[in-house]
Amino acid sequence: LDVKSDILKKLDSGKPAVTPGEGAASLIIELAKGNEFDEIMPPKGKGKPLSVKQIATLTRWIDQGATWPDSASAEAVIQSKHWAYQPVVRLDPPKVRQVDWPINAIDHFILARLEDKSIKPSLPADRYTLIKRLYYDLLGLPPTPAEVDAFVNDKSANAYEELVDRLLTSKHFGERWGRHWLDKARYADSDGYEKDRPRMNAWRYRNWVINAINSDMPFDQFSIEQLAGDVLPNATPLQKLATAFHRQTLTNTEGGTDKEEFRVEATFDRTETTSTVWLGLTMTCARCHTHKYDQITQQEYFELYAFFNNGDEANTNVATDAGAMAAYQAKLKAHQQQVAKLEQQLADAKAKLGPAVEKWEQAIQSKIAVDEPGLAYHDANVLKIEGPKGVTFKRLDDGSFLVGGANVDKGKYTIDLETNLKDISGVRLDVLPHDSLPTKGPGRVQHGNFVLSEIRMYVSGKGTPTTKDQVKLTAAESDFSQANWPVKNAIDGKEGSGSADTGWAIAPQFGKAHHAIFSAGALLPTREKTFVRVVLSQSYGSQHMIGRFRVRLQTGLDHNQLAPKPIRAILALPNAERTAKHKQMLLDHVAATHPSLTKLTGELNALKKKAPKQPVMTVRVIVQRSSPRQTKVLRRGDFLQPLDEVKPDTINVLERVHPLKSRNPKAMPDRLDFARWLMDKDNPLTPRVSVNHIWKHLFGQGIVRTMEDFGVRGERPSHPQLLDWLASEYIRLGWSRKAMIKTILMSATYRQSSHHRANVSKIDPLNMLLSRQNRFRVEAEIVRDLYLAACGLLSDKVGGPSVYPPLPPDVAALSYANNFKWNTSKGPDRYRRGMYTFFKRTSPHPNLINFDCPDGNTTRVNREISNTALQPLQTLNNITFVEASQAMAKRVLTESKGNDAQRLNAAIRLCIARPATPFELQRFGELLAKARAYYASHADDAKKLVGGYAAPNVPADESAAWVATVRMIMNVDEFVTRE
């Protein structure tokens, strides 16, 4: 091992030996289990250095490769003494000397450590700081001056607790704490990898998270549904949606990729993310080999991997949101009542059709009794043919027309015919190939197809037909129809454009002749000379026009056109043999065409088409396989090198403390069993890890600073007894996130001032003992939220699709082949909270990245906080922040009355809650005076700086001076710092 020399140096330094589970020496002792174990254990008398012989044994073991024992006996001999693997023990809060300081149990644990170091806790923060801190921590928004004044002036004993309760019930709480969770879920709005295609429905999972947190879904349920919601008994759509937690993995859509390789990669990610988020273990290390530090073998890694190996990626439909579904249900109920009313009217009218049915049957029976005239197709004299501008028609020898001239996107061909035929009953359309057409046609588009959107027929005995002479075509048949484009679509009355269009097409049978016959279902009235107009409407677009065609008239009648075969079969039965069902079928058939019911039937059909659409959307989820995969250890994590098979199981070091049980003793445990094992009260890691996450968000650092590593390489908890008390309290509170947060917020520890004390910093430079609160910059999304909220631009809408706030030029162009266009949102969507900004993994919004937002590729339980020169440059010059300063100036000039000092104070309070100091008023007043002097003589610059945010009745130079000033006020460090 590379650490050999360092370890031996420490062992040989003469420092006291330590008990297993503490320090570097004990790390080697634990790793050495089964290798002369008795010989290398420290002597019974604790505190003595290791002997020369013991050090020699360790040296020899390291030189031999530090082999990890495989034998079960070795596993049985050693029980891990590492603190994180021990059962959670709830101890009574320790006694303290300063008995008037603690408010709850948390304070006893904190104060006891401070008193051991002779340190006193800090004084409570003032009320201005407290309300600003609570708003930043719970909502990620600044309090308004009115809210601040109400709290500061409320002298009741419950003022603080009432403020906490109010903020915990705010709809924005779920946004603030949902954003923390989305980091863990590696949420993004695109696939990742090279093509990085957008995931337009990813936001639905984000909504689920916000709603679950706002409703205070217990954390154990919150976790189980995300890990195994699909496996729950009678899983609801929302429980299935929750599994989108593990669909946030990257998806490679590049050409030539091996799907199995990236399926395995995604399963690796799910295994390791779960371990990091709920167990705080660096499981990734064991993917290719046994963990070098923690007691996790490669086999155990793949036993855990097996739970996720049997979850497949799939899609499911869920409601867009609860509100939309409730509104839909109300609309649907009202619509169903309207439909029922019309149906009853129609039924009443049908009941009166008895005589009409008898009359219709007599007419049909008389026609059926006569031999039907044979169907025939005839040419007719073409009087005129017209088409779109620039289109020409050339008549060929066979009577067909070849279309030429302009190749238009869409249009109509109108053919006027003259004939002396009798018994006309329809029209026949032949579409024909020709060498001059693309791929011989019969269409003019490049591949030879066409779309006949609608065909209309008009018949008149008095000259050119008009619209009142239209014939209803009731039947259509063809020799061939393209899938989803049947010939009946050409008489359905639906004529749209593009994807909204319907019609008849013939792909892939290009270069061939095809025909379609459209019948009226009856013999049309004719005279000695009859005029017929046929209109071929082609609305699809993209040059899907017919290239060669011939129109013929149909004569004669088919009994099938008189009545459908099932109806004619009933008509063939004597009345005595007709059942009630038969009679109802006859009644329905007649009613469908009877003049007295046509209008009512049309109204009913139109109403049914207007039924409200169910607000559902397709989302990516995980579903359990019905036929389990065989899981094998992969040599060095290579999916092409499978080794021995393994079964689903957990880590042995935790199994000793908290065994995994299958809910079905006769079957292997599945993902639901594993999720319940994770959240069981006896699991020593999950409650510690999850409460440590909460603590971090309220103090800037966890009780265990290495949030992602509770293993032997991670830091020990600064307050181990407090961590266990909090973990047990979280469980006692029913895993209520809000109750746990309130418990911490109510403590004196949380309420301390963050004021730096030099004398204490020498003893505790990292403030691990929490003798004061911590001061840290807010996250990337919150920086923007604060600016927009203070100036009054922020939209308070919660949830919904991702939005596209202004983006610096050419950033979106960095995406693969410039395949993604960033269309800046307008209206309120331009000013949504930062968590709703569309996050493209390969080209994320620079405003987020500049303030340390994670890339969304892997889970992140702890964001880094950096301070760089780019950050103030962004908040000074980026369009979003400039616009915020413009709006802030307008707000101050419009809403605040009084002199400059009063307006400056109002601006400062909008940003940092507290009143301005005399020094601040002086310096900002000096800046305002300089800005006035400059913009008074630079009118063009003034107008440019003010933009579209000029205050009413305020000159441009005055507005510009205030923009320049509030721009500096909004850039004070205190504004983006949680005190």
Side-chain angles (χ1 to χ4, degrees):
L1 296 177
D2 294 338
V3 297
K4 169 184 172 182
S5 59
D6 181 57
I7 292 170
L8 294 180
K9 182 178 180 181
K10 290 181 179 179
L11 293 174
D12 204 25
S13 65
K15 293 182 179 180
V18 290
T19 58
E22 299 178 358
S26 62
L27 167 61
I28 297 303
I29 292 170
E30 288 186 18
L31 290 174
K33 62 184 182 180
N35 296 269
E36 303 178 88
F37 179 76
D38 292 333
E39 186 177 335
I40 64 172
M41 281 293 290
K44 291 182 179 180
K46 295 181 180 179
K48 295 181 181 179
L50 297 178
S51 67
V52 173
K53 182 178 179 182
Q54 290 168 338
I55 293 174
T57 300
L58 280 173
T59 304
R60 191 166 60 254
W61 174 69
I62 294 171
D63 288 338
Q64 292 171 354
T67 303
W68 191 289
D70 292 324
S71 68
S73 60
E75 290 289 329
V77 170
I78 300 301
Q79 297 292 325
S80 173
K81 301 299 181 182
H82 183 56
W83 66 268
Y85 303 143
Q86 307 311 307
V88 172
V89 178
R90 184 186 178 98
L91 299 177
D92 292 332
K95 297 184 182 302
V96 294
R97 295 189 293 275
Q98 190 179 338
V99 294
D100 62 340
W101 187 75
I103 295 176
N104 62 21
I106 292 172
D107 303 324
H108 283 265
F109 291 104
I110 296 296
L111 185 56
R113 290 290 310 277
L114 291 175
E115 289 181 342
D116 284 346
K117 300 292 185 180
S118 300
I119 300 173
K120 288 189 175 183
S122 293
L123 295 173
D126 63 75
R127 287 207 163 192
Y128 291 106
T129 301
L130 279 178
I131 187 171
K132 177 171 174 277
R133 179 185 297 169
L134 286 172
Y135 266 77
Y136 278 31
D137 282 351
L138 298 184
L139 309 184
L141 298 171
T144 66
E147 290 167 331
V148 174
D149 290 341
F151 175 65
V152 170
N153 296 325
D154 188 345
K155 304 304 180 183
S156 66
N158 296 327
Y160 179 82
E161 184 175 6
E162 289 174 355
L163 175 61
V164 169
D165 288 339
R166 179 167 62 83
L167 297 184
L168 287 173
T169 58
S170 167
K171 64 181 182 179
H172 299 300
F173 174 78
E175 292 179 313
R176 179 69 168 120
W177 285 76
R179 179 62 262 180
H180 297 323
W181 187 258
L182 293 179
D183 281 359
K184 300 176 178 66
R186 62 270 195 240
Y187 175 86
D189 293 293
S190 66
D191 284 342
Y193 294 114
E194 184 182 28
K195 290 187 178 178
D196 198 23
R197 290 175 175 164
R199 297 176 177 175
M200 304 310 294
N201 289 345
W203 62 268
R204 187 61 186 88
Y205 166 72
R206 180 176 62 203
N207 268 26
W208 182 90
V209 171
I210 293 172
N211 293 334
I213 292 176
N214 270 337
S215 66
D216 199 24
M217 180 185 289
F219 184 67
D220 57 344
Q221 179 186 348
F222 179 77
S223 301
I224 290 170
E225 289 191 7
Q226 291 182 87
L227 291 170
D230 59 304
V231 193
L232 287 168
N234 303 313
T236 67
L238 288 182
Q239 288 172 329
K240 295 176 183 177
L241 167 64
T243 65
F245 174 89
H246 272 322
R247 281 303 305 275
Q248 305 305 313
T249 47
L250 279 66
T251 301
N252 195 337
T253 56
E254 299 170 30
T257 56
D258 189 314
K259 290 185 178 180
E260 177 64 10
E261 176 185 5
F262 287 95
R263 187 198 68 80
V264 169
E265 189 66 32
T267 310
F268 285 151
D269 177 79
R270 290 168 188 139
T271 305
E272 294 155 15
T273 294
T274 301
S275 175
T276 300
V277 171
W278 281 276
L279 296 175
L281 295 178
T282 55
M283 187 69 73
T284 307
C285 301
R287 183 197 297 187
C288 302
H289 53 74
T290 290
H291 204 295
K292 288 186 177 182
Y293 305 108
D294 291 320
Q295 290 178 255
I296 306 171
T297 66
Q298 189 186 22
Q299 177 173 324
E300 289 172 337
Y301 175 96
F302 280 97
E303 288 171 345
L304 199 64
Y305 170 98
F307 289 114
F308 301 99
N309 196 31
N310 286 311
D312 281 345
E313 298 182 350
N315 295 328
T316 191
N317 290 329
V318 297
T320 52
D321 63 67
M325 183 56 72
Y328 161 75
Q329 296 289 355
K331 290 179 181 178
L332 180 62
K333 183 177 180 181
H335 179 264
Q336 289 173 336
Q337 290 173 344
Q338 290 178 303
V339 169
K341 183 178 179 180
L342 272 180
E343 285 179 335
Q344 185 59 51
Q345 292 178 19
L346 188 60
D348 293 342
K350 280 183 179 181
K352 301 175 182 179
L353 280 183
V357 173
E358 292 180 8
K359 184 177 181 180
W360 172 85
E361 181 176 351
Q362 290 173 3
I364 292 296
Q365 293 282 23
S366 64
K367 291 180 180 179
I368 292 177
V370 179
D371 289 338
E372 58 184 344
L375 293 176
Y377 303 97
H378 313 269
D379 290 325
N381 182 32
V382 179
L383 298 177
K384 185 173 64 173
I385 182 168
E386 292 181 342
K389 184 178 181 180
V391 174
T392 62
F393 299 91
K394 179 182 178 181
R395 182 159 187 160
L396 303 182
D397 293 341
D398 63 352
S400 66
F401 288 89
L402 180 64
V403 184
N407 198 3
V408 297
D409 278 339
K410 53 188 176 181
K412 298 176 181 177
Y413 301 162
T414 301
I415 306 99
D416 285 335
L417 306 168
E418 178 188 61
T419 183
N420 57 5
L421 291 170
K422 305 299 180 183
D423 298 332
I424 297 173
S425 59
V427 62
R428 170 175 171 142
L429 173 67
D430 292 281
V431 288
L432 306 166
H434 194 272
D435 290 342
S436 67
L437 298 172
T439 66
K440 294 189 178 183
R444 301 190 73 190
V445 73
Q446 186 176 7
H447 43 63
N449 202 0
F450 64 88
V451 175
L452 177 62
S453 304
E454 198 76 14
I455 183 171
R456 289 186 284 275
M457 184 179 184
Y458 305 83
V459 177
S460 170
K462 300 178 181 180
T464 303
T466 62
T467 54
K468 66 182 180 61
D469 299 314
Q470 184 172 354
V471 173
K472 183 173 179 59
L473 298 172
T474 59
E477 60 180 78
S478 66
D479 67 316
F480 178 78
S481 290
Q482 177 179 330
N484 301 319
W485 294 85
V487 70
K488 67 179 182 179
N489 283 3
I491 58 170
D492 62 2
K494 299 176 183 178
E495 186 177 351
S497 178
S499 60
D501 196 24
T502 68
W504 176 46
I506 48 85
Q509 291 197 10
F510 311 129
K512 298 179 181 180
H514 297 285
H515 72 267
I517 299 169
F518 304 95
S519 301
L523 300 179
L524 303 175
T526 57
R527 294 192 177 185
E528 185 175 340
K529 185 177 289 187
T530 302
F531 300 91
V532 178
R533 169 172 285 182
V534 177
V535 178
L536 307 179
S537 181
Q538 300 153 87
S539 304
Y540 183 81
S542 303
Q543 300 177 344
H544 280 67
M545 304 290 289
I546 297 172
R548 183 187 173 197
F549 66 93
R550 178 173 55 225
V551 172
R552 291 180 175 181
L553 297 178
Q554 174 184 271
T555 60
L557 207 58
D558 185 343
H559 281 170
N560 286 322
Q561 296 170 0
L562 293 174
K565 187 174 181 180
I567 296 297
R568 287 188 287 112
I570 296 172
L571 295 176
L573 295 173
N575 285 333
E577 296 181 16
R578 295 179 188 176
T579 65
K581 183 178 179 181
H582 290 151
K583 294 175 182 178
Q584 186 63 45
M585 289 175 65
L586 286 177
L587 179 61
D588 290 342
H589 179 74
V590 174
T593 57
H594 197 276
S596 66
L597 296 182
T598 301
K599 181 179 178 182
L600 197 57
T601 302
E603 290 177 1
L604 179 60
N605 292 336
L607 181 60
K608 287 181 177 179
K609 292 177 182 178
K610 293 180 181 179
K613 292 185 178 180
Q614 192 172 7
V616 297
M617 59 189 295
T618 302
V619 292
R620 305 182 186 202
V621 294
I622 297 292
V623 296
Q624 188 75 349
R625 288 177 63 85
S626 56
S627 54
R629 286 188 180 91
Q630 188 180 57
T631 300
K632 295 185 177 183
V633 175
L634 302 180
R635 184 176 182 273
R636 299 191 64 79
D638 183 355
F639 81 109
L640 294 176
Q641 299 188 62
L643 300 174
D644 297 333
E645 182 182 359
V646 295
K647 301 298 182 183
D649 205 349
T650 58
I651 308 168
N652 288 342
V653 70
L654 291 176
E655 280 279 317
R656 301 184 190 116
V657 180
H658 170 47
L660 171 68
K661 298 178 182 178
S662 172
R663 63 188 185 282
N664 181 0
K666 296 182 180 180
M668 297 298 297
D670 61 16
R671 200 162 16 97
L672 179 56
D673 295 316
F674 171 67
R676 288 173 171 169
W677 173 84
L678 269 181
M679 302 312 302
D680 190 277
K681 62 181 179 59
D682 292 328
N683 191 317
L685 277 177
T686 304
R688 286 182 174 125
V689 170
S690 55
V691 84
N692 192 57
H693 291 165
I694 292 176
W695 188 271
K696 187 268 177 188
H697 296 310
L698 298 176
F699 288 93
Q701 61 186 20
I703 295 174
V704 178
R705 282 168 53 88
T706 51
M707 305 277 292
E708 72 289 342
D709 190 358
F710 273 51
V712 296
R713 294 285 287 178
E715 292 191 23
R716 290 180 59 80
S718 60
H719 299 78
Q721 294 177 346
L722 171 60
L723 181 63
D724 273 19
W725 186 90
L726 290 168
S728 64
E729 184 69 1
Y730 202 6
I731 297 171
R732 190 190 71 79
L733 292 171
W735 293 100
S736 168
R737 181 188 276 103
K738 290 186 177 181
M740 188 72 255
I741 290 172
K742 181 178 178 180
T743 300
I744 298 173
L745 296 180
M746 295 304 297
S747 69
T749 304
Y750 176 84
R751 300 191 217 185
Q752 291 180 103
S753 167
S754 61
H755 182 70
H756 183 266
R757 294 188 286 168
N759 59 327
V760 176
S761 294
K762 294 179 181 179
I763 304 172
D764 183 22
L766 298 179
N767 193 32
M768 296 295 294
L769 299 178
L770 289 177
S771 62
R772 58 179 173 84
Q773 250 290 5
N774 288 310
R775 187 175 185 273
F776 47 90
R777 196 207 70 226
V778 297
E779 299 98 319
E781 298 87 347
I782 308 303
V783 171
R784 179 176 178 275
D785 293 349
L786 295 176
Y787 272 75
L788 294 179
C791 73
L793 288 177
L794 186 68
S795 167
D796 69 348
K797 178 183 175 182
V798 175
S802 295
V803 294
Y804 306 87
L807 186 73
D810 299 326
V811 172
L814 297 174
S815 56
Y816 172 79
N818 195 19
N819 67 346
F820 184 72
K821 305 302 179 184
W822 187 276
N823 296 317
T824 302
S825 298
K826 298 179 180 179
D829 280 353
R830 180 184 176 100
Y831 308 109
R832 297 292 307 282
R833 295 196 69 167
M835 74 178 301
Y836 300 117
T837 296
F838 189 94
F839 196 95
K840 187 170 176 63
R841 282 184 163 111
T842 57
S843 184
H845 202 295
N847 286 6
L848 297 176
I849 298 302
N850 197 23
F851 281 97
D852 309 309
C853 180
D855 58 16
N857 291 338
T858 56
T859 186
R860 184 71 65 89
V861 297
N862 186 24
R863 285 198 188 187
E864 301 297 327
I865 297 179
S866 68
N867 291 289
T868 69
L870 286 176
Q871 292 166 357
L873 286 174
Q874 174 180 308
T875 55
L876 281 169
N877 301 308
N878 179 270
I879 183 174
T880 295
F881 299 96
V882 171
E883 190 175 2
S885 65
Q886 293 169 332
M888 174 67 96
K890 181 179 179 180
R891 181 177 187 180
V892 170
L893 290 170
T894 303
E895 298 178 4
S896 302
K897 308 301 180 183
N899 57 29
D900 288 348
Q902 290 170 316
R903 282 178 164 169
L904 287 171
N905 184 61
I908 290 171
R909 292 204 61 197
L910 284 170
C911 294
I912 58 177
R914 64 170 176 78
T917 65
F919 176 74
E920 290 168 334
L921 291 176
Q922 175 193 340
R923 294 304 302 274
F924 284 121
E926 292 170 355
L927 175 61
L928 179 61
K930 290 181 180 179
R932 278 177 174 148
Y934 176 83
Y935 288 111
S937 58
H938 294 78
D940 291 341
D941 289 348
K943 291 179 181 178
K944 184 177 180 181
L945 182 59
V946 173
Y949 289 90
N953 304 317
V954 178
D957 58 334
E958 178 69 2
S959 290
W962 277 97
V963 172
T965 303
V966 298
R967 192 177 178 185
M968 294 300 106
I969 292 175
M970 299 177 86
N971 270 277
V972 296
D973 179 65
E974 192 174 344
F975 186 34
V976 294
T977 300
R978 182 275 203 187
E979 298 287 341

